[in-house]
Each structure stands twice: as C-alpha cells, then as structure tokens.
Amino acid sequence: EPEVTQTPSHQVTQMGQEVILRCVPISNHLYFYWYRQILGQKVEFLVSFYNNEISEKSEIFDDQFSVERPDGSNFTLKIRSTKLEDSAMYFCATQAGIGELFFGEGSRLTVL
Amino acid sequence: KQEVTQIPAALSVPEGENLVLNCSFTDSAIYNLQWFRQDPGKGLTSLLLIQSSQREQTSGRLNASLDKSSGRSTLYIAASQPGDSATYLCAVRGGAGSYQLTFGKGTKLSVIP
C-alpha cells in the first residue's frame, strides 16, 4: 500500500541550528502539507503546497520556516534557526484531490 | 477560528463493549470530516472520511456519523478489542475561511482484555 515516508525519524539539534525535514509523498498526489504536534497538544496546521507554491500557511509558519520540492519528489520543511519551542513531532501529509489526507510517521525534532 | 472539541478525553472499556466517541466543531461550513487513529509516538492513520454532503460512513467495525448543521460527529466502535487501544482524533476541513484540517485533542481509548 502506498505510504508517505519521512526522514529523519528523530533529530536532535542545538538551538539556532538549521534543520531540514524530508518527505516522500505518495506518487500520484498533488497536494502536500506539513503539520506539527507539540507533546500533549493538538495537531496543528503549518503549511500547504500545491503546484510548486504555498497555497496556505498558518500564523506558526513565520519567516523561520520554508518549504520546497526541489527535485519533483522530495518535499522538504526547513527551519532556519531552531528555537526550543520548535521541539515537536512534524508530520507530512499528502492528498490526491479533495479526499483523504494521508500522513507519514512523523519526524521528532528535539531542540536543546 | 474553527475549534474542534472531543469528549471524553479518555475512555476505558472492557473488551467486547460497543462505544461512542464524540466530536464537535464550531463552524459548520466544512468540506469534510476525517477520523484518525494515533498510536503512541506514531503517525496518524486515516480511519474514515465523511464528505459534508454525507451523513455516515462505515468501515468494518467502525461507523462515523456527521450532523453538519449541529456541528457534531460520532465514531462508533463495535465489539471493541485490545488492539483498538489508541488515541482517536477528529479533524474537520474548512470553516472560518480556512481550507485546512483543524484537529481535536483526541480521545485516548483503552480496551481492557
């Protein structure tokens, strides 16, 4: 069964460092999303991406965050200068059309 | 801003019982509603998707209903099993001018053998 693949599964970084999280979407999906879940809290929307551009972003997605699909397959989330409060599980999700979203297993980011 | 609330926050039942999980949302202008399952430290597994024009969806022992006008959905699990133990998340797409999924905090289900 097709699945969304995320790497790394866990990353530990120092505050102020840059982090890149990667996602391989399901092959025929056109809509891509990043969500995050801080421990014990709700899953929160960060950004949606379609046709090589951001279609919607939340207040959380400030100038420290960026997304791209550099090679037509991987979909990446970059955090330029990590802060302690960026520690969370980051989920990539993809969608073919207007139906179900399919989520990856997540990348746990720990900022020290 | 769309808000999603799930009640109860936690539920413990003996194996074999039928149970209902509740979800409510504040803005009824939604496109669809999706129920997910999340195991500890894991990703989200989609269980059921209900479009805004539908009243219910069924998959195996799971049945989800949607009353869009009152802003409510329920997830019914029949003949619960220990393997059903997980956190169940409700998420709505749309409402309050956004096209994105808004999640509830989830109901943590424990099925006791």
Side-chain angles (χ1 to χ4, degrees):
Chain A
E1 185 173 324
E3 59 181 21
V4 178
T5 305
Q6 289 187 242
T7 55
S9 56
H10 188 194
Q11 181 155 359
V12 181
T13 191
Q14 295 291 324
M15 191 169 54
Q17 294 297 304
E18 177 182 283
V19 162
I20 297 176
L21 307 179
R22 291 182 171 81
C23 169
V24 178
I26 295 172
S27 63
N28 62 338
H29 285 192
L30 302 175
Y31 299 85
F32 313 116
Y33 306 85
W34 285 100
Y35 287 79
R36 80 172 185 189
Q37 186 177 34
I38 295 171
L39 189 64
Q41 298 188 23
K42 294 183 179 183
V43 177
E44 304 172 288
F45 167 70
L46 293 178
V47 66
S48 60
F49 191 83
Y50 170 70
N51 201 24
N52 282 322
E53 60 183 28
I54 291 173
S55 47
E56 190 175 348
K57 61 183 180 179
S58 71
E59 295 170 350
I60 303 168
F61 195 88
D62 62 20
D63 292 344
Q64 291 300 311
F65 291 89
S66 63
V67 290
E68 63 176 2
R69 199 169 179 224
D71 56 9
S73 61
N74 287 300
F75 176 52
T76 63
L77 174 70
K78 182 192 291 186
I79 309 174
R80 269 180 262 285
S81 178
T82 50
K83 298 179 271 216
L84 295 176
E85 54 265 38
D86 293 328
S87 294
M89 183 76 97
Y90 288 81
F91 293 109
C92 173
T94 74
Q95 182 185 31
I98 60 170
E100 283 177 280
L101 259 68
F102 293 90
F103 282 73
E105 286 290 298
S107 292
R108 179 170 298 284
L109 176 64
T110 302
V111 182
L112 302 176
Chain B
K1 184 180 172 187
Q2 178 74 274
E3 297 283 349
V4 179
T5 303
Q6 291 187 246
I7 294 172
L11 180 65
S12 183
V13 300
E15 182 177 0
E17 271 205 7
N18 303 325
L19 59 101
V20 174
L21 308 181
N22 297 291
C23 171
S24 62
F25 45 95
T26 53
D27 190 326
S28 62
I30 65 169
Y31 298 99
N32 57 47
L33 182 146
Q34 201 166 349
W35 282 93
F36 293 89
R37 168 187 173 135
Q38 185 176 32
D39 292 289
K42 298 292 187 181
L44 282 62
T45 301
S46 179
L47 298 173
L48 289 164
L49 171 76
I50 310 178
Q51 299 291 355
S52 61
S53 58
Q54 296 175 318
R55 296 284 293 186
E56 65 179 291
Q57 280 286 344
T58 297
S59 175
R61 294 183 294 108
L62 305 180
N63 176 277
S65 68
L66 174 63
D67 184 344
K68 188 179 150 182
S69 60
S70 68
R72 293 179 187 173
S73 175
T74 61
L75 179 66
Y76 174 83
I77 302 177
S80 58
Q81 302 170 359
D84 295 331
S85 297
T87 297
Y88 290 80
L89 302 176
C90 169
V92 298
R93 175 183 288 278
S98 173
Y99 189 62
Q100 302 317 317
L101 281 183
T102 302
F103 282 81
K105 204 168 180 184
T107 294
K108 185 174 182 180
L109 173 66
S110 298
V111 181
I112 313 302

